[in-house]
Amino acid sequence: MADQKTEKIIVAFLCNWCTFTAADLAGTSRLKYAPNIRIVKVMCSSRVDPVFILKPLLDGADGVLIGGCAPGDCHYSKGTFYARRKIALAKTLAGSMGLDPRRIRLSWIPASEGPRFARVVNEFTKQIEALGDNPAKREVYI
Amino acid sequence: MQTLIDSRMTMPDFIAALFDKLDLAGVAAMTKLPSGEKAAYTLLTDKDDIEDCVPYFPAMPANAARAVSKFTRQAPPSKQVAVFLRPCELRALTELVKIKQAAVDNLLIIGFDCAGVFPFSKIRLSDELKLKEYREAVAKGKNCEGIRPVCSACTRFVPEGADIAISFIGRNLDEPLVLSFPSEKGKEAAKTLGLDSSSKVEASPAVDSLAEERGGAEKKLTEKIEEALSGTDGLISVFDKCISCHACSHVCPICYCKNCYFESQTFEYFPESYFTRMREKGALRLPVDRVLFHLGRLSHMGLSCVACGMCEDACPVNIPVSQIFKTAGAKAQALFGYIPGKNRDEPLPLLTFSERELEEFED
Amino acid sequence: MAATNKANMDEVGMNKGIWVEGRAKKKVLEFLNGLLNSKKLEAVLMPATNRTKDSYSWFLMGKDGLLESADPFPPVMTTQGARAVSYLTKKGRAWKKTAVLLRPCELRATIELAKIRQVELENLVLISFDCPGAYPLEKYFNGDQKKLDEAFDACLSKQAELEGARAVCSICNRFTGRGADIEIGLIGGEAKGFWLIPGSREGEDLLEGVTGSASHKLEAREKAISELRAQREEKRKQTLDSFQETVKGPENLMRVLSSCINCHNCSRVCPICFCRECYFDSKALSSEADAMLQRAQRKNGLRLPPDLLLFHLGRMTHMSISCVSCGACEDACPADVPVSMLFSLAGRNTQAVFEYEPGRSLEEAVPYTVFKFEELKDFEAPYIKEYSKEQ
């Protein structure tokens, strides 16, 4: 049930060393991207415990984006590999527990790629809009 | 397949022989409580006390891996102690060893085939009829009526990683024990016990028939849970009765954290937060984060879930917790090709990685 | 509820009850909705049925009105109300004027928690009622809920004993909402209606403008209450005395606790057990394997995990003085141990030493936190007695 009236909210956990800087770059380059994301800066995408993803989803956020350095480019060398495992776990659990795993997205966005950041945000926002409101949003009994 | 041998010893003789020949400091096994109605996992140090030992008693008031963890976490024993464990307890112990919450130094692990346990409040030592049915089911290799739902759908009922394994599915519980010695420690013990040249015994076909029955039950259970958990509505309904007591996590052998994240200040909010959220939805249910607790706990321990069923037994509001965790846990485990409790040296999935994997989860 | 208001309780008096005719549940909800609409209240914290309608949970509800499923008199106690109040106000006072509907034992626990700063009462209006008891969770979930609900509703206004109530409820002698800002008086109403009785200035203010007839029958209510209380007190004494015999001596106590699985769930749901890190789960009680082997040797066996009896007795020393006999522990016990009876007994005995009644009054300090220079002579060593004679 797509509800276009309410603004969709996407919580984004962005790595300080790459995607967060890319977001900054997108801003300073005056690139336009969807205003739906709420950014939480983390020092590494592997800091994102699956609970960080599940909490906003159960509290009514429409999507969760995790942005980190491409595998091999991690500031701490191995963080992204662990991150990928954690996100894979979160998506799998969400899927088996009745949440829509399509609301979770992991993207590798290097610091220099402001345009790519803007594109990912636009793309994901569109995808979330197509999915409609997160049913948990107005759920009183959750 | 391990070689099975006829030990020519019944259970009491076997425990006595362990004390006599292996110079044990103690044995830990299910033992009758003085009250006479219940049994509990107990550490015994004296051969004279072992007559009350009932290792097979089909109840699990605590997952024994938790007990062994309490016993060995600070420092393992300096002399050998034999511990009787059900397969799921042994698997949980293996997982606990990986996260340094238990040690197996100086433990002689005795595993045995498990025909399942009854919910702990549903079985007493005096329930002769039930226990007779259970024995018959063991001999026939069939599921006994009334055992925990996850037990009747458990396909890993043969011990993995024991030093000495007792085979009893398809056999009579009072007959001499049929043993195998899968580990080096076990083989040494066999030598000391004088069992290394005993006569061989055939594997019972009842093991396969039970595995088949259980396999079918597992499939059914998975389907049932998958259906119940379809969509957010299903998720909310399944945990709707939860009173947030967290009993499931406190009896879970894997949930070892002394300070659980979900009981931390992180999940205590200022009144403003409650009132703001109330305003958004019109009404706010308290305690909050009820469903998150279950999902979050699953993300923390689901990869190591051994489907022992403690959580469901301890739940005061009858939520099928262990059936849910078994089902969702299995899917998460499959993602990494991980089998909890299989191998002590296999690292936990979240503590390792390969460079090229899981590419369907990234972009 | 402002602390200063409590002292005025007596002078406000019990004679100001407003008699409201009609079905209590419906009328109470109307009353609360009225207060929300007139902005005298900005929120209400009270039970409502859950989504699948087979249990109850706490809900904070605001100006848009109460949930249709809100129920001031739920037949079961899922989460102890004092815990719900603590969730809301542990970190500070309620943001907005909020009414809280509590069973009498929940009210008492709330007052105990306020004393130990786990609850902040400012901005809260506490409302309580004559409680007929609650069903055990197990019974409610496995039984015919419709029938149980009907039987419960029937008991609400009559003095009839609730059949199948929790053991601890059937010996409850503090079953009225006295001490709350507003007391909902059901007993004596004979199913025709009920009283709204203010217990504080704040309660009086909220009741202003509520229409009802004069409370000509309040005497009848008082009489009915004292009769029931006398009955219950007798029953309580008898039951606890005989239970005391059942648990006399370590062997008998261990028999009663034999099915305990040492999960500590009783303490997790206890409204008084507020410690985030329970001493009995702490490292203080862990030891090396060899030390446990020694213990096993001394006692011909050591149950694992150990310290089961220490946990129960220790917990008694920590909270029995404040135990309000709410029964939450027993409801949450997965092993059917009569925990609430055990703790009610311990509480009765320890509270008697200090003439302390948990939840009676905010001004009454928790006995552990105060002392008199001369007291408890019976518990002193003879030396002290001798010494004071010489003086």
Side-chain angles (χ1 to χ4, degrees):
Chain A
M1 184 181 59
D3 181 0
Q4 297 297 333
K5 278 181 205 141
T6 49
E7 188 206 8
K8 302 292 175 283
I9 291 179
I10 294 169
V11 176
F13 295 98
L14 306 183
C15 161
N16 172 63
W17 303 103
C18 51
T19 315
F20 186 80
T21 311
D24 217 7
L25 181 59
T28 46
S29 316
R30 302 184 172 226
L31 294 175
K32 266 194 182 163
Y33 59 86
N36 304 56
I37 72 165
R38 310 287 186 269
I39 297 175
V40 180
K41 181 161 83 171
V42 288
M43 288 311 283
C44 177
S45 51
S46 66
R47 174 65 184 92
V48 181
D49 186 282
V51 177
F52 295 7
I53 299 167
L54 298 167
K55 168 85 177 157
L57 282 183
L58 289 174
D59 281 353
D62 299 290
V64 177
L65 174 70
I66 301 95
C69 311
D73 287 349
C74 174
H75 186 77
Y76 308 100
S77 82
K78 294 187 284 193
T80 42
F81 295 120
Y82 291 118
R84 187 168 55 194
R85 286 204 152 207
K86 288 184 184 179
I87 308 311
L89 174 66
K91 286 187 90 153
T92 307
L93 286 180
S96 32
M97 298 299 282
L99 300 176
D100 193 339
R102 289 174 297 177
R103 295 188 185 274
I104 305 168
R105 176 164 173 164
L106 170 64
S107 296
W108 309 129
I109 306 171
S112 56
E113 298 200 23
R116 180 170 156 76
F117 175 77
R119 206 191 71 225
V120 166
V121 172
N122 286 333
E123 229 178 67
F124 192 40
T125 307
K126 222 176 240 166
Q127 198 188 337
I128 292 297
E129 272 167 359
L131 288 175
D133 265 349
N134 177 357
K137 190 172 271 187
R138 307 210 182 286
E139 180 55 69
V140 168
Y141 293 99
I142 206 157
Chain B
M1 190 72 208
Q2 294 289 332
T3 322
L4 299 169
I5 61 107
D6 178 5
S7 71
R8 299 185 304 278
M9 289 185 279
T10 59
M11 182 58 95
D13 295 343
F14 174 62
I15 300 176
L18 289 176
F19 264 110
D20 287 341
K21 299 196 177 150
L22 294 180
D23 189 28
L24 289 185
V27 164
M30 287 294 283
T31 304
K32 289 179 191 170
L33 287 172
S35 66
E37 278 293 298
K38 292 276 180 179
Y41 200 70
T42 306
L43 179 64
L44 299 169
T45 53
D46 198 335
K47 202 180 93 182
D48 298 336
D49 297 327
I50 61 172
E51 59 188 42
D52 285 337
C53 252
V54 282
Y56 296 151
F57 184 65
M60 189 189 286
N63 185 303
R66 237 187 134 83
V68 174
S69 164
K70 277 248 174 194
F71 181 56
T72 60
R73 187 169 50 203
Q74 201 150 323
S78 49
K79 248 177 96 181
Q80 200 163 48
V81 172
V83 292
F84 280 82
L85 297 172
R86 291 183 180 277
C88 59
E89 294 174 326
L90 179 47
R91 295 199 297 275
L93 178 62
T94 303
E95 291 301 293
L96 286 175
V97 170
K98 289 182 192 174
I99 46 178
K100 302 192 166 48
Q101 296 304 310
V104 287
D105 316 44
N106 271 335
L107 292 190
L108 181 70
I109 298 170
I110 302 173
F112 53 92
D113 291 353
C114 177
V117 296
F118 294 99
F120 53 70
S121 57
K122 299 268 157 61
I123 186 80
R124 294 177 167 266
L125 287 157
S126 54
D127 291 338
E128 274 163 34
L129 197 68
K130 251 188 191 175
L131 293 171
K132 189 170 160 261
E133 272 171 28
Y134 186 78
R135 282 158 177 271
E136 284 167 7
V138 168
K140 285 188 197 141
K142 284 199 174 320
N143 268 338
C144 182
E145 192 76 29
I147 55 175
R148 286 176 174 169
V150 280
C151 289
S152 60
C154 170
T155 50
R156 298 175 68 197
F157 55 85
V158 174
E160 298 157 82
D163 298 315
I164 302 178
I166 306 173
S167 149
F168 81 60
I169 301 287
R171 304 183 200 283
N172 187 325
L173 287 181
D174 302 319
E175 279 173 8
L177 304 180
V178 172
L179 303 176
S180 62
F181 306 94
S183 74
E184 282 311 310
K185 216 191 236 178
K187 289 192 172 72
E188 222 166 274
K191 234 181 258 169
T192 324
L193 291 166
L195 293 173
D196 46 341
S197 56
S198 298
S199 54
K200 286 184 184 147
V201 179
E202 287 296 307
S204 163
V207 174
D208 292 332
S209 68
L210 183 61
E212 205 187 310
E213 185 185 348
R214 294 270 181 93
E218 188 175 35
K219 209 170 144 237
K220 253 192 216 152
L221 185 149
T222 306
E223 277 165 13
K224 183 186 86 181
I225 295 297
E226 274 174 356
E227 200 193 315
L229 279 170
S230 56
T232 313
D233 282 353
L235 174 67
I236 294 167
S237 302
V238 163
F239 291 113
D240 206 21
K241 276 206 288 238
C242 174
I243 58 169
S244 294
C245 67
H246 298 188
C248 44
S249 106
H250 295 295
V251 297
C252 173
I254 307 299
C255 268
Y256 69 92
C257 296
K258 201 176 291 294
N259 297 342
C260 174
Y261 180 53
F262 301 100
E263 284 161 18
S264 73
Q265 291 240 26
T266 306
F267 297 97
E268 279 174 7
Y269 306 97
F270 286 96
E272 295 87 301
S273 162
Y274 288 109
F275 285 97
T276 311
R277 281 191 271 173
M278 172 196 83
R279 222 164 26 196
E280 277 164 10
K281 289 186 177 180
L284 179 70
R285 184 172 177 170
L286 293 181
V288 292
D289 298 322
R290 202 179 72 267
V291 178
L292 178 72
F293 163 72
H294 294 284
L295 261 65
R297 190 168 89 84
L298 194 46
S299 79
H300 286 174
M301 56 60 70
L303 288 169
S304 293
C305 176
V306 296
C308 68
M310 277 308 297
C311 45
E312 194 166 323
D313 254 18
C315 178
V317 295
N318 310 336
I319 297 170
V321 201
S322 69
Q323 301 178 55
I324 296 163
F325 275 52
K326 177 182 162 76
T327 306
K331 279 191 200 158
Q333 291 154 17
L335 178 65
F336 302 106
Y338 181 73
I339 301 174
K342 184 93 188 159
N343 176 356
R344 221 173 276 152
D345 301 319
E346 191 180 358
L348 291 175
L350 292 188
L351 300 182
T352 183
F353 61 85
S354 23
E355 287 184 14
R356 300 212 59 131
E357 63 169 1
L358 303 170
E359 277 160 7
E360 65 276 25
F361 291 96
E362 60 180 4
D363 66 38
Chain C
M1 164 147 90
T4 45
N5 280 349
K6 294 304 294 172
N8 296 333
M9 228 171 66
D10 286 335
E11 71 185 73
V12 169
M14 302 170 301
N15 294 323
K16 294 198 178 172
I18 300 167
W19 170 253
V20 184
E21 223 144 285
R23 213 174 139 247
K25 183 179 155 183
K26 186 164 162 262
K27 291 285 174 182
V28 167
L29 292 180
E30 280 174 15
F31 166 62
L32 291 171
N33 266 324
L35 293 175
L36 285 172
N37 285 332
S38 64
K39 299 255 163 59
K40 277 183 167 178
L41 279 182
E42 295 205 53
V44 173
L45 176 64
M46 69 183 287
T49 51
N50 60 355
R51 184 197 183 98
T52 44
K53 308 273 177 237
D54 53 1
S55 183
Y56 290 79
S57 199
W58 287 87
F59 289 84
L60 185 65
M61 295 169 270
K63 63 171 173 31
D64 305 329
L66 305 176
L67 291 174
E68 259 175 47
S69 57
D71 190 342
F73 318 120
V76 283
M77 186 200 281
T78 49
T79 300
Q80 225 271 8
R83 275 202 165 239
V85 181
S86 182
Y87 289 132
L88 189 65
T89 63
K90 192 182 206 168
K91 288 198 156 186
R93 69 191 170 89
W95 212 21
K96 310 269 180 188
K97 183 72 94 190
T98 304
V100 190
L101 267 100
L102 298 164
R103 284 175 192 279
C105 55
E106 294 174 326
L107 173 67
R108 296 197 297 274
T110 303
I111 289 172
E112 288 303 290
L113 285 182
K115 292 178 191 171
I116 49 177
R117 316 234 159 168
Q118 299 302 310
V119 151
E120 173 61 70
L121 290 177
E122 211 184 317
N123 263 349
L124 295 188
V125 181
L126 304 183
I127 304 177
S128 190
F129 62 96
D130 299 335
C131 174
Y135 294 117
L137 286 183
E138 178 89 23
K139 184 186 175 81
Y140 192 67
F141 292 149
N142 296 330
D144 180 347
Q145 290 198 350
K146 210 170 153 241
K147 255 189 175 159
L148 291 171
D149 286 345
E150 277 166 14
F152 183 86
D153 277 347
C155 279
L156 265 178
S157 43
K158 293 180 198 142
Q159 282 169 254
E161 291 289 320
L162 179 64
E163 204 179 308
R166 308 187 298 178
V168 78
C169 293
S170 71
I171 59 163
C172 177
N173 58 344
R174 288 185 273 168
F175 45 82
T176 72
R178 195 140 305 162
D181 293 301
I182 298 174
E183 184 186 343
I184 301 172
L186 297 161
I187 293 178
E190 284 157 355
K192 292 193 197 84
F194 62 99
W195 291 272
L196 288 170
I197 308 160
S200 67
R201 292 265 174 259
E202 205 153 10
E204 267 190 336
D205 290 348
L206 288 179
L207 288 178
E208 223 163 79
V210 175
T211 48
S213 51
S215 55
H216 60 283
K217 279 192 276 183
L218 260 182
E219 291 79 20
R221 166 174 161 73
E222 287 308 313
K223 192 165 163 268
I225 288 176
S226 48
E227 272 168 21
L228 182 57
R229 181 169 296 136
Q231 263 176 41
R232 288 283 185 85
E233 261 161 15
E234 181 56 29
K235 196 173 169 199
R236 184 174 185 83
K237 188 177 177 314
Q238 274 176 15
T239 311
L240 290 180
D241 283 350
S242 89
F243 189 73
Q244 186 149 24
E245 288 307 308
T246 318
V247 293
K248 211 160 210 168
E251 260 165 46
N252 286 328
L253 182 55
M254 280 314 289
R255 180 167 303 131
V256 168
L257 291 173
S258 69
S259 51
C260 172
I261 61 161
N262 216 348
C263 69
H264 299 189
N265 212 33
C266 42
S267 97
R268 299 255 153 55
V269 297
C270 172
I272 307 299
C273 270
F274 70 92
C275 297
R276 192 194 308 283
E277 289 169 47
C278 175
Y279 176 71
F280 302 99
D281 292 327
S282 76
K283 250 193 147 168
L285 296 185
S286 78
S287 59
E288 294 160 357
D290 287 352
M292 290 198 207
L293 281 165
Q294 276 174 13
R295 279 172 79 183
Q297 210 152 26
R298 269 204 312 273
K299 305 199 296 180
N300 287 16
L302 177 69
R303 185 171 171 178
L304 293 177
D307 301 318
L308 185 151
L309 193 54
L310 180 72
F311 163 69
H312 287 291
L313 295 179
R315 193 166 91 83
M316 274 175 199
T317 68
H318 287 177
M319 56 59 71
S320 74
I321 279 185
S322 292
C323 175
V324 297
S325 288
C326 69
C329 46
E330 198 163 319
D331 257 351
C333 176
D336 308 325
V337 178
V339 211
S340 67
M341 212 40 92
L342 196 59
F343 277 72
S344 292
L345 173 65
R348 177 186 76 168
N349 296 351
T350 54
Q351 289 156 20
V353 172
F354 302 98
E355 288 161 9
Y356 181 71
E357 204 176 287
R360 178 166 49 188
S361 153
L362 255 183
E363 272 76 48
E364 211 172 345
V366 180
Y368 273 164
T369 60
V370 287
F371 62 86
K372 291 179 202 142
F373 193 69
E374 297 262 333
E375 63 172 346
L376 305 171
K377 292 280 181 207
D378 301 346
F379 293 89
E380 282 179 323
Y383 169 79
I384 308 287
K385 277 187 188 162
E386 294 303 312
Y387 180 76
S388 54
K389 240 185 251 167
E390 278 168 29
Q391 296 289 304

